[in-house]
Amino acid sequence: MAAQEAQTVRAPSPTARLPLGRGWRRATLIVHIVSAGAWIGIDVIVAVLVLTGRYGGSGDVRGLAYRALATFVVWPMLTSGLVCLASGVVLGLGTKWGLLRYWWVAIKLTLNLILCSLILVALQPGMGEVDDYGRTLAAGGAPDPGRVSDLFYPPAVSLTALTLATVLAVTKPWGRVRRRG
Protein backbone atom coordinates (compact mmCIF):
# COMPACT_ATOMS: atom_id res chain seq x y z
CA MET A 1 0.00 0.00 0.00
CA ALA A 2 2.81 2.43 0.86
CA ALA A 3 4.46 1.70 -2.50
CA GLN A 4 1.21 2.50 -4.28
CA GLU A 5 0.84 5.81 -2.41
CA ALA A 6 4.44 6.66 -3.25
CA GLN A 7 3.62 6.21 -6.94
CA THR A 8 0.62 8.56 -6.84
CA VAL A 9 2.51 11.39 -5.13
CA ARG A 10 4.88 12.88 -7.62
CA ALA A 11 7.13 15.85 -7.00
CA PRO A 12 6.30 18.77 -9.27
CA SER A 13 8.66 19.48 -12.12
CA PRO A 14 11.33 21.97 -11.05
CA THR A 15 10.82 23.86 -14.34
CA ALA A 16 7.02 24.16 -14.03
CA ARG A 17 5.75 27.57 -13.00
CA LEU A 18 2.40 26.28 -11.78
CA PRO A 19 3.12 22.75 -10.58
CA LEU A 20 0.23 20.37 -11.17
CA GLY A 21 -0.19 17.19 -9.20
CA ARG A 22 -0.61 13.99 -11.16
CA GLY A 23 -4.41 13.98 -10.83
CA TRP A 24 -4.81 17.62 -11.89
CA ARG A 25 -2.41 17.17 -14.80
CA ARG A 26 -4.36 14.15 -16.04
CA ALA A 27 -7.70 15.90 -15.63
CA THR A 28 -6.44 18.97 -17.46
CA LEU A 29 -4.96 16.84 -20.23
CA ILE A 30 -8.29 15.01 -20.63
CA VAL A 31 -10.15 18.33 -20.83
CA HIS A 32 -7.61 19.53 -23.40
CA ILE A 33 -7.95 16.43 -25.58
CA VAL A 34 -11.75 16.32 -25.35
CA SER A 35 -12.10 20.02 -26.19
CA ALA A 36 -9.76 19.63 -29.16
CA GLY A 37 -11.76 16.61 -30.32
CA ALA A 38 -14.99 18.58 -29.96
CA TRP A 39 -13.48 21.43 -31.98
CA ILE A 40 -12.49 19.05 -34.76
CA GLY A 41 -15.95 17.47 -34.66
CA ILE A 42 -17.65 20.86 -34.93
CA ASP A 43 -15.41 21.69 -37.90
CA VAL A 44 -16.48 18.47 -39.59
CA ILE A 45 -20.12 19.43 -38.98
CA VAL A 46 -19.40 22.85 -40.52
CA ALA A 47 -17.95 21.15 -43.59
CA VAL A 48 -21.00 18.86 -43.88
CA LEU A 49 -23.40 21.80 -43.53
CA VAL A 50 -21.51 23.88 -46.08
CA LEU A 51 -21.43 21.01 -48.58
CA THR A 52 -25.10 20.22 -47.95
CA GLY A 53 -26.00 23.88 -48.39
CA ARG A 54 -24.11 24.05 -51.65
CA TYR A 55 -24.92 20.66 -53.19
CA GLY A 56 -28.03 19.44 -51.32
CA GLY A 57 -31.02 18.28 -53.33
CA SER A 58 -33.87 20.68 -52.59
CA GLY A 59 -33.98 24.33 -51.64
CA ASP A 60 -35.52 23.36 -48.30
CA VAL A 61 -32.60 21.09 -47.40
CA ARG A 62 -30.01 23.54 -48.64
CA GLY A 63 -31.67 26.46 -46.83
CA LEU A 64 -31.93 24.48 -43.61
CA ALA A 65 -28.21 23.62 -43.80
CA TYR A 66 -27.26 27.29 -44.08
CA ARG A 67 -29.66 28.31 -41.31
CA ALA A 68 -28.29 25.58 -39.03
CA LEU A 69 -24.76 26.76 -39.82
CA ALA A 70 -25.65 30.34 -38.93
CA THR A 71 -27.55 29.40 -35.78
CA PHE A 72 -25.56 26.63 -34.12
CA VAL A 73 -21.92 26.64 -35.14
CA VAL A 74 -20.04 29.75 -34.01
CA TRP A 75 -20.52 29.67 -30.23
CA PRO A 76 -19.90 25.93 -29.67
CA MET A 77 -16.80 26.18 -31.87
CA LEU A 78 -15.51 29.23 -30.02
CA THR A 79 -16.26 27.61 -26.65
CA SER A 80 -14.34 24.45 -27.52
CA GLY A 81 -11.47 26.55 -28.85
CA LEU A 82 -11.29 28.66 -25.69
CA VAL A 83 -11.50 25.60 -23.40
CA CYS A 84 -8.70 24.05 -25.46
CA LEU A 85 -6.71 27.28 -25.13
CA ALA A 86 -7.25 27.57 -21.36
CA SER A 87 -6.41 23.93 -20.68
CA GLY A 88 -3.36 24.19 -22.94
CA VAL A 89 -2.14 27.25 -21.03
CA VAL A 90 -2.60 25.43 -17.71
CA LEU A 91 -0.69 22.43 -19.08
CA GLY A 92 2.03 24.71 -20.41
CA LEU A 93 2.43 26.47 -17.10
CA GLY A 94 2.10 23.29 -15.05
CA THR A 95 4.38 20.89 -16.90
CA LYS A 96 7.94 20.76 -18.13
CA TRP A 97 6.86 21.76 -21.64
CA GLY A 98 6.14 25.39 -20.76
CA LEU A 99 4.25 27.84 -22.95
CA LEU A 100 7.15 29.16 -24.99
CA ARG A 101 9.90 26.71 -24.05
CA TYR A 102 9.42 24.29 -26.96
CA TRP A 103 8.63 25.13 -30.56
CA TRP A 104 5.79 22.67 -30.90
CA VAL A 105 3.97 24.15 -27.89
CA ALA A 106 4.49 27.72 -29.08
CA ILE A 107 3.15 26.86 -32.53
CA LYS A 108 0.11 25.08 -31.08
CA LEU A 109 -0.58 28.13 -28.90
CA THR A 110 -0.25 30.44 -31.90
CA LEU A 111 -2.56 28.28 -34.04
CA ASN A 112 -5.18 28.25 -31.29
CA LEU A 113 -5.06 32.02 -30.85
CA ILE A 114 -5.31 32.59 -34.61
CA LEU A 115 -8.23 30.18 -35.05
CA CYS A 116 -10.18 31.61 -32.10
CA SER A 117 -9.59 35.11 -33.47
CA LEU A 118 -10.76 34.06 -36.94
CA ILE A 119 -13.98 32.65 -35.47
CA LEU A 120 -14.76 36.06 -33.97
CA VAL A 121 -13.42 38.29 -36.74
CA ALA A 122 -14.08 36.38 -39.96
CA LEU A 123 -16.77 33.76 -39.30
CA GLN A 124 -19.22 35.19 -36.77
CA PRO A 125 -19.91 38.57 -38.44
CA GLY A 126 -21.16 36.90 -41.64
CA MET A 127 -23.60 34.50 -40.00
CA GLY A 128 -26.55 36.90 -40.29
CA GLU A 129 -26.09 36.98 -44.05
CA VAL A 130 -25.75 33.17 -44.13
CA ASP A 131 -29.05 32.89 -42.23
CA ASP A 132 -30.77 35.30 -44.66
CA TYR A 133 -29.38 33.32 -47.58
CA GLY A 134 -30.77 30.09 -46.10
CA ARG A 135 -34.20 31.65 -45.50
CA THR A 136 -34.38 32.95 -49.07
CA LEU A 137 -33.29 29.59 -50.45
CA ALA A 138 -35.85 27.68 -48.35
CA ALA A 139 -38.60 30.08 -49.45
CA GLY A 140 -37.93 29.16 -53.07
CA GLY A 141 -35.86 32.19 -53.95
CA ALA A 142 -32.68 32.12 -55.97
CA PRO A 143 -30.13 34.13 -53.97
CA ASP A 144 -26.66 34.84 -55.32
CA PRO A 145 -24.42 31.89 -54.35
CA GLY A 146 -21.45 34.27 -54.24
CA ARG A 147 -22.76 35.47 -50.87
CA VAL A 148 -21.81 32.13 -49.27
CA SER A 149 -19.04 30.89 -51.57
CA ASP A 150 -16.35 31.75 -49.00
CA LEU A 151 -17.79 29.28 -46.49
CA PHE A 152 -15.60 26.51 -47.92
CA TYR A 153 -12.52 28.12 -46.40
CA PRO A 154 -13.26 28.08 -42.65
CA PRO A 155 -13.55 24.30 -42.24
CA ALA A 156 -10.65 23.69 -44.63
CA VAL A 157 -8.33 26.09 -42.83
CA SER A 158 -9.42 25.06 -39.35
CA LEU A 159 -9.25 21.31 -39.98
CA THR A 160 -5.81 21.71 -41.52
CA ALA A 161 -4.54 23.77 -38.57
CA LEU A 162 -6.08 21.43 -35.98
CA THR A 163 -4.60 18.41 -37.75
CA LEU A 164 -1.20 20.11 -37.67
CA ALA A 165 -1.66 20.84 -33.94
CA THR A 166 -2.49 17.18 -33.33
CA VAL A 167 0.58 16.04 -35.25
CA LEU A 168 2.74 18.47 -33.26
CA ALA A 169 1.31 17.19 -29.97
CA VAL A 170 2.13 13.61 -30.89
CA THR A 171 5.53 14.05 -32.55
CA LYS A 172 6.88 17.00 -30.48
CA PRO A 173 9.39 18.10 -33.13
CA TRP A 174 12.12 20.75 -33.20
CA GLY A 175 13.20 20.85 -29.57
CA ARG A 176 13.61 23.88 -27.34
CA VAL A 177 13.23 27.50 -28.32
CA ARG A 178 16.66 29.09 -28.05
CA ARG A 179 16.77 32.17 -25.87
CA ARG A 180 19.07 34.94 -26.94
CA GLY A 181 21.25 36.34 -24.20
Side-chain angles (χ1 to χ4, degrees), residues 3-39:
Q4 185 180 20
E5 287 177 347
Q7 288 177 345
T8 59
V9 178
R10 182 183 286 180
S13 168
T15 58
R17 293 184 196 152
L18 176 77
L20 292 175
R22 183 177 184 180
W24 282 107
R25 186 190 62 79
R26 282 185 175 176
T28 307
L29 184 59
I30 289 168
V31 167
H32 188 66
I33 292 169
V34 169
S35 63
W39 195 355

Side-chain angles (χ1 to χ4, degrees), residues 42-114:
I42 293 167
D43 271 329
V44 169
I45 291 170
V46 170
V48 168
L49 289 173
V50 168
L51 292 173
T52 301
R54 181 69 175 183
Y55 300 111
S58 70
D60 286 341
V61 169
R62 294 174 58 217
L64 183 60
Y66 284 121
R67 292 185 63 210
L69 181 68
T71 304
F72 298 113
V73 169
V74 170
W75 300 114
M77 185 186 304
L78 183 61
T79 300
S80 63
L82 292 175
V83 170
C84 193
L85 176 64
S87 59
V89 168
V90 170
L91 287 169
L93 293 174
T95 65
K96 68 178 181 178
W97 302 112
L99 280 179
L100 300 173
R101 190 173 297 142
Y102 288 85
W103 282 109
W104 67 273
V105 177
I107 291 171
K108 281 183 57 179
L109 177 63
T110 302
L111 287 172
N112 188 302
L113 290 169
I114 289 170

